[in-house]
Amino acid sequence: MELVLPPKKKKSGWKTVKNWGIFLFLTVMYIWTFTGIDIDWGRAFDRMVNNFQRVIPKLFNPEWTSLGKVWTAMVETLYIAFAGSLMAAIIAIPLGFLAAQNMTKSKVLTTFGKWILSGIRAFPDLILAILFVVAVGPNPFAGVLAIAIGSTGMLGKLYSEVLESIDMNIVEAMEASGANKVQILFHGVIPQIIPEFLSYAIYRFEIDVRASTILGIVGAGGIGTLIQFAQMNRNWEEMGLILLVIIVVVTIIDFLSASIRKRIV
């Protein structure tokens, strides 16, 4: 029996023109970008070669005598990330409910909630850290506040999406059987959202550990302070040790977090 293949669809001329138009547009944008920032490629290449010869070998020769203070700063960084992530996970819950259409049943409230979360996400963690350093002083508490506010925007958005995807048939069945709002919340909604809420909170903690490592550059505590001092003093051996500690700790946290999130979900 002879197999008859369906005829291949011919690409329309308009689609080909559109694809070429997109390609040319992106090419022009790349060229305009690199010419607009005025890069001295020769000087950049010379500096890169010089730094590779002078700095890189020192980075691979860590200053182990500084391990104690580097580890103390790393632990402080983990404290900042954990406290900030925990605060964000709690604050984001009411904002997530506010931004979920099926929870508020009000387009005005949902839009207001989404605007709040979008406004929060507009500020990078480093900018928030600078603002809180000015407000509460150069200490780890400024870093905690920066992480908490910065993470709230992302978690609130994810929480609202989880809430909007729950099975509303369960909620409607409980309403039909005479359950009140509190009973529906604790027995119809929360059991559906807890696993994903916890998973997203843990995932955000992973991100916050990385973010916390640089907040010390602006005085918000953590290992970023040591990074700044090592860079200012050109102590590349200590910088190598700092980077090694960060890589090891972040890798372990990523592995543990992925394992925990897999079990939860």
Side-chain angles (χ1 to χ4, degrees), residues 96-253:
F97 274 87
L98 183 63
Q101 177 69 42
N102 58 341
M103 293 292 107
T104 62
K105 306 288 179 65
S106 169
K107 191 172 182 180
V108 174
L109 289 176
T110 300
T111 303
F112 179 65
K114 291 184 184 296
W115 281 357
I116 292 175
L117 295 174
S118 296
I120 294 173
R121 292 198 307 276
F123 292 93
D125 293 338
L126 204 57
I127 300 300
L128 290 171
I130 293 172
L131 295 176
F132 284 118
V133 165
V134 174
V136 302
N139 55 62
F141 185 53
V144 171
L145 293 176
I147 291 295
I149 300 302
S151 300
T152 298
M154 173 186 167
L155 285 177
K157 183 177 187 299
L158 294 173
Y159 287 177
S160 68
E161 292 176 354
V162 171
L163 286 164
E164 289 177 340
S165 66
I166 66 172
D167 186 359
M168 291 301 293
N169 291 329
I170 298 175
V171 176
E172 292 169 1
M174 293 185 68
E175 288 177 344
S177 63
N180 58 38
K181 297 293 184 182
V182 175
Q183 290 172 327
I184 292 172
L185 176 64
F186 281 96
H187 299 286
V189 176
I190 291 180
Q192 296 189 65
I193 63 176
I194 282 181
E196 291 190 73
F197 272 33
L198 290 175
S199 176
Y200 283 132
I202 294 171
Y203 176 64
R204 184 64 208 190
F205 172 66
E206 291 181 35
I207 299 173
D208 289 340
V209 171
R210 298 184 185 91
S212 300
T213 58
I214 62 170
L215 296 185
I217 293 176
V218 295
I223 203 168
T225 305
L226 293 184
I227 293 176
Q228 185 181 31
F229 289 157
Q231 186 269 331
M232 291 172 59
N233 296 325
R234 300 294 190 270
N235 190 348
W236 305 119
E237 289 85 356
E238 184 174 302
M239 180 73 80
L241 178 63
I242 294 170
L243 295 177
L244 178 62
V245 170
I246 292 174
I247 291 170
V248 171
V249 171
V250 169
T251 302
I252 293 173
I253 289 175

Side-chain angles (χ1 to χ4, degrees), residues 10 38 51 65 83 142 198 229 243:
K10 293 184 179 180
D38 191 24
N51 287 334
T65 55
L198 290 175
F229 289 157
L243 295 177

Side-chain angles (χ1 to χ4, degrees), residues 11-159:
K11 289 185 179 180
S12 63
W14 167 244
K15 191 172 182 179
T16 303
V17 171
K18 185 175 71 172
N19 291 339
W20 274 106
I22 294 173
F23 173 75
L24 291 174
F25 173 76
L26 293 176
T27 302
V28 171
M29 286 296 295
Y30 274 111
I31 294 173
W32 175 74
T33 300
F34 280 106
T35 56
I37 57 180
D38 191 24
I39 300 177
D40 187 344
W41 293 102
R43 183 181 178 187
F45 181 76
D46 290 339
R47 288 178 64 90
M48 183 179 68
V49 172
N50 181 50
N51 287 334
F52 264 98
Q53 294 175 345
R54 183 171 54 89
V55 175
I56 300 301
K58 294 182 180 179
L59 291 177
F60 283 94
N61 184 28
E63 189 177 281
W64 295 105
T65 55
S66 302
L67 182 59
K69 71 174 182 178
V70 171
W71 178 248
T72 301
M74 189 68 225
V75 171
E76 183 178 77
T77 298
L78 294 177
Y79 288 161
I80 292 171
F82 179 76
S85 300
L86 182 60
M87 289 175 63
I90 296 171
I91 297 171
I93 292 174
L95 292 176
F97 274 87
L98 183 63
Q101 177 69 42
N102 58 341
M103 293 292 107
T104 62
K105 306 288 179 65
S106 169
K107 191 172 182 180
V108 174
L109 289 176
T110 300
T111 303
F112 179 65
K114 291 184 184 296
W115 281 357
I116 292 175
L117 295 174
S118 296
I120 294 173
R121 292 198 307 276
F123 292 93
D125 293 338
L126 204 57
I127 300 300
L128 290 171
I130 293 172
L131 295 176
F132 284 118
V133 165
V134 174
V136 302
N139 55 62
F141 185 53
V144 171
L145 293 176
I147 291 295
I149 300 302
S151 300
T152 298
M154 173 186 167
L155 285 177
K157 183 177 187 299
L158 294 173
Y159 287 177

